[in-house]
Amino acid sequence: MKLRIAVTTVLCLGLVFGVSMLSHQTHAQGKRAALSGGPASMPEITVLNPMGTPPPIRLVPQAPRLDTLDGKTIYLINTGYIGTDRFMDETAKWFRANYPETSIVYRDNQSGAGLSSLSDALWAEIAEKGDAAIVGLGH
Amino acid sequence: MKKPAVPVVMHDFAAQQKEVAFNLGMPNFRIQYFRGPVWGKTNEQIRKQVMEGGNPITGRPVMQELVENLTRPLAAEERRTGEVKKDLGPGTYTGTPEELQKLFLEKRYTDFLPVELPTEEKVAEMLKSTSREPGEVLGRMNPGSEAGETWTYTVKTAAINAVMAGAAPEYFPVILALGSTGMTAVNVSDNGFMAGAVINGEIRDEIGLNYEEGAVGPYAHANTTIGRAWSLLSINGGNCGKVGTTYMGTIGNPMNLIGIIMAENEEKSPFRPLSVRRGFRKGENVVTLFMGWGILSAKNWAATVWGPNMNYPEIIKEIYGTQDGWLFGTCAVLSPPIANFVRDAGYDTVEKFTEWVTGRPPGAKPAVGGNLNSGIRNAGGTFTVIVTGGSNNNYFSMGGMVPSRSVQIDEWR
């Protein structure tokens, strides 16, 4: 094994959570065997890791789930991607047919496409009057 | 808001959504996937193909899963708190050059081409071209939207990536100026954006930027490696350009490899340089960043006056009128002969020409509409003129590219 990896024994907590995106950032020790094979006479050199620094990630617990949909109000949010209005229209019809005791409220995003363009007022309305939300993120 | 919310997203974005959820602190966030896109489908098609279909990932019925995502009690890992950090590997790697090239490729540190391996010695040599401290935070970058977290990188990070790109140390102040803006060269958008830069001032000759024939292509070491360094810094310093997580271009854009790094041909242009029109003094070393789809030969567009008797100003105006400039406006990259045709037609300043092309009086701001989720303000029909290239024929290019920030380069020496 010609490759020597300097530093690091820190296990990635992300891997504990099974996040597949980190697969390309595999722990360096695990790569040593696979990377051998260069000509024996070729000298080794040490190079620098070119990556920047990601921000720390603070885990946020998800909101408790509903015990039933009956008697509850669900907001259907169209964030503005083309076709989402039709999707939400059909979603509303489905809920009314299958969960007649559930209230459906449809809200259209008027200020552009994307989650970030939803207004604070809409989130406040959902928090005050809704029990849950289904958000169409596209496409 | 402490109420259960379930996003519905087409399954093609699953890896990216997982990363976004992780970055937001909810690695097990419940997301409902479906087979999309819904764009262009009728209500009936959506009902039958999307809602009555299965989640392509789990194979289970979409609507049933959706209800379960709202009602199934949370598991322990979905309620977890605390802090996690991503493991980005060790600070250095040791091996033979062949092994390290393979390692960098596997870790996606590269643009899939071999790189100059960044030894401490080469990076130190690069850092000699700036008075800035290696540990100084140079910038913060995300892939261009809420889809990605914002990473931080230092002057030394930029030097490492500049070495990898094959850049000469004398180019480094330009690379630092680009990196200081935090604008990615590889935007996440599914629309396939590219990035570019126009360089004005004496530094053009000082570092050998090409502004004659082949000015916008990879035909000079400085133009090519500065663009590549910006792309590699975006990939590594800003974690951009990773297909499936931080890159979503449906078709992609080949200009993401090295962008378009142009120097204006100030000597042969009949107009004031772009930087001067943006408030800098002539000769001052300035880089102006651009974002858009890129440029193509003007012959790509149909123009009624294209023939033996050419009316170049009219052709440019016609293309401007037919192009959708809502997002990135229109950028005309004129060779000196074309710029002279424009001047000879009575438009001796870019401002006069812009007024005629756009129909807007001088100083009038174009209509600006919404704010895209990428954070880019739409250009609403801006018109930008750049003069560069050779004088060996009457060719020029146009496309959708809008200027953003202009940065003084000498601050980064």
Side-chain angles (χ1 to χ4, degrees), chain B residues 50-314:
Chain B
V50 179
M51 298 174 61
E52 294 176 4
N55 174 341
I57 296 172
T58 64
R60 302 188 60 232
V62 166
M63 297 309 290
Q64 182 183 331
E65 256 190 358
L66 183 57
V67 169
E68 289 174 7
N69 279 330
L70 290 169
T71 56
R72 188 179 72 251
L74 295 177
E77 63 267 25
E78 294 174 306
R79 302 192 301 269
R80 195 185 301 272
T81 58
E83 192 171 284
V84 294
K85 289 181 181 175
K86 290 181 179 175
D87 175 19
L88 299 181
T92 60
Y93 300 97
T94 300
T96 66
E98 186 180 343
E99 290 170 342
L100 292 167
Q101 289 284 356
K102 188 177 178 186
L103 175 78
F104 272 41
L105 185 63
E106 287 181 354
K107 288 186 171 293
R108 185 60 169 98
Y109 291 166
T110 75
D111 49 12
F112 303 108
L113 297 174
V115 294
E116 184 77 36
L117 290 167
T119 61
E120 191 74 72
E121 294 75 21
K122 287 176 182 169
V123 172
E125 194 63 29
M126 186 67 68
L127 286 165
K128 287 180 182 173
S129 291
T130 183
S131 59
R132 302 298 184 112
E133 291 296 319
E136 177 182 338
V137 172
L138 175 63
R140 294 176 174 81
M141 183 185 289
N142 66 45
S145 84
E146 63 210 32
E149 60 191 343
T150 299
W151 285 36
T152 302
Y153 47 85
T154 63
V155 168
K156 187 171 183 178
T157 312
I160 295 169
N161 283 279
V163 168
M164 288 170 62
E170 56 264 36
Y171 311 159
F172 194 43
V174 180
I175 295 164
L176 288 175
L178 290 166
S180 72
T181 66
M183 186 177 124
T184 179
V186 192
N187 191 284
V188 65
S189 175
D190 48 4
N191 213 324
F193 299 161
M194 53 69 70
V198 172
I199 298 165
N200 289 106
E202 294 167 358
I203 198 169
R204 294 170 304 134
D205 291 325
E206 184 187 321
I207 64 174
L209 284 160
N210 175 33
Y211 48 81
E212 289 287 344
E213 291 170 30
V216 302
Y219 307 110
H221 191 261
N223 305 55
T224 302
T225 57
I226 288 171
R228 191 185 187 201
W230 186 16
S231 288
L232 288 174
L233 180 61
S234 302
I235 291 168
N236 294 317
N239 193 34
C240 305
K242 315 287 171 60
V243 171
T245 55
T246 63
Y247 184 77
M248 301 194 301
T250 305
I251 300 297
N253 193 324
M255 283 179 264
N256 286 142
L257 187 62
I258 58 169
I260 296 180
I261 305 298
M262 289 181 272
E264 266 203 301
N265 195 335
E266 298 179 22
E267 290 70 18
K268 292 183 181 174
S269 172
F271 306 127
R272 293 187 303 159
L274 175 70
S275 58
V276 175
R277 303 200 306 269
R278 305 195 106 209
F280 296 89
R281 63 176 168 75
K282 185 164 173 53
E284 195 170 2
N285 297 321
V286 174
V287 58
T288 300
L289 284 75
F290 281 74
M291 179 162 280
W293 289 293
I295 53 173
L296 285 171
S297 167
K299 195 68 186 78
N300 176 69
W301 285 269
T304 55
V305 291
W306 203 286
N309 300 311
M310 301 295 279
N311 183 338
Y312 291 105
E314 191 63 44

